[in-house]
Amino acid sequence: MEYDEKLARFRQVHLNPFNKQQHEQGAGEEALDITSQARLPELPPGEPESCCPERVMDLGLSEDHFARPVGLFLASDVQQLRQAIQECKQVILDLPEHSEKQKDAVVRLIHLRLKLQELKDPNEDEPNIRVLLEHRFYKEKSKSVKQTCDKCNTVIWGLIQTWYTCTGCYYRCHSKCLNLISKPCVRSKVSHQAEYELNICPEAGLDSQDYRCAECRAPISLRGVPSEARQCDYTGQYYCSHCHWNDLAVIPARVVHNWDFEPRKVSRGSMRYLALMMSRPVLRLREINPLLFNYVEELVEIRKLRQDILLMKPYFITCREAMAARLLLQLQDRQHFVENDEMYSVQDLLDTHTGRLGCSLAETHTLFAKHIKLDCERCQAKGFVCELCREGDVLFPFDSHTSVCADCSAVFHRDCYYDNSTTCPRCARLTLRKQSLFQEPGPDLDA
C-alpha cells in the first residue's frame, strides 16, 4: 500500500502534463527520495541505471489502469462513460487471461455498464407490468440469467439491462423492444382455438406467401437473399431467420399418424404454441387414427387402465375415507383421465412412448384397487356376486377376469358371461317386472 502511494505521488510530480510548472521546477528532495526508492525494486541485476526512468514510467502507466477510477465513476456524462467502457475493454484484452488484474478490470467494466444503464434507462421509470397485444409482460428481477430477446434476436444481459417476460407465452424482450412487438400472444390462440394441424407439413410453397415471411412479412428466398427462408415442419410455411431460430419440437401430426416422436425444426411462434398445447387433451385417437391401437401395444394397456379408473371413480365419490384422503388427486396432472378414456394430449402420447405413463398409471391403479378391495369396508360392501354361478369371491367391475353388463352394470365372471353373449339375469328380471307392471288386466270370465 505504501509502495502504491509513493508511485502515485511520483506520477503526479513527473508524469502530469498539466502541471508544467511543477514539472519544470522539480519535485524537491522528497520526490527524489521517492523516485530512488521506487526504482530500486524494479532494477534487475546487471541492468544499467540509465534505463530506470523509462521502466518507472511504463510501470506507472500500466498501474494507472488498476487504480481507483475516481474520475470515471463520478462522471455523469454518457459519452464519458462510453469512452471509459471502451478503454476498459481494451485493457481487459491486453491483460493475461485469468489473471487477478483482468478480473479486477472486468468488475470495473460491470460497474461502468451499470452506471451507464442508470443514466440511459432508469429502473424507477420502468413499470412492473405492461400489456401489449394481449401479452402481459412482467419486469424480470433476475440479474444473473442470460436470455435472448425474441424481438431483436440479441442477448439480454440481465445484469445491466431491463427486460420483460410475458406470463402467457413466455415471450422475452428488452424494455426498449416492447413498443416494437408485432406478434400477438399465443396464449389467446390456445384459449380460443385449441386444436392442432393434423396434416403432416402442409407445404404450399413460397409463391403462396409472395416470397415473404409468414409472420413478419419480411422478404425471404431459398437462396438466402435478402434473408434465408426456413420452413416450419408444423405449419409448412416459410419464415425468416428472426422468426425461425431452428428450434426443435415434436410434431403432433407425425405422432398421431406415424407414431413418430423425432423433434423437427419449427418457428418461434409454433414452438410456443406447441409448448402451451403440450398437456391439453385435444386428440381423440379413436376418430383420428383408430388403427393406431392395433400397432401400439402400449396404447392398449393405457386405455385399459383408464377404463378401470373410470369404473373406480364411483366408489371414491361415495366413500368418505377416499374423499378425505383425496385419492383422485393422484391424477391431478391428468384430470382428463378421470373424465373419459378417449381424449389424449401430446404429453400423454410422449410419456406412453417412453414408458413413463404406463408405470405411473399402473401404480395409481394398484393404489386405487387396494383401497376398494382391502382397506375400505364400505367399498368392499359394494362388490358383486356372479349371479350365473353364485360362486367365488366378491367381484368388482375393474377386475381382469370379469365382464360387465352394458345395460345394468352387473358384474359376472368372464367365463360365465361369455363376453356378453349370455343374457344377463338382472336385465331379464327387470324386463319381466316392467312387463308385469304395464300389462293390462284381462276380462273377468266369471262375471
Side-chain angles (χ1 to χ4, degrees), residues 384-385 387 408-412 423-431:
F384 293 83
V385 176
E387 298 186 20
C408 65
S409 300
V411 181
F412 308 94
T423 304
C424 176
R426 180 177 293 184
C427 292
R429 290 197 303 269
L430 291 175
T431 302

Side-chain angles (χ1 to χ4, degrees), residues 18-63:
F18 299 101
N19 194 358
K20 296 182 179 179
Q21 182 178 0
Q22 188 176 3
H23 181 70
E24 293 175 356
Q25 294 178 356
E29 295 179 356
E30 183 178 0
L32 292 174
D33 295 339
I34 296 173
T35 305
S36 60
Q37 295 177 7
R39 283 201 302 262
L40 290 176
E42 297 294 328
L43 277 175
E47 187 172 346
E49 188 177 355
S50 59
C51 299
C52 293
E54 296 181 359
R55 293 182 56 83
V56 173
M57 184 178 296
D58 294 339
L59 179 60
L61 290 175
S62 61
E63 287 289 337

Side-chain angles (χ1 to χ4, degrees), residues 394-413:
V394 178
L395 304 179
F396 293 92
F398 50 84
D399 289 334
S400 59
H401 60 283
T402 60
S403 293
V404 181
C405 177
D407 297 327
C408 65
S409 300
V411 181
F412 308 94
H413 290 113

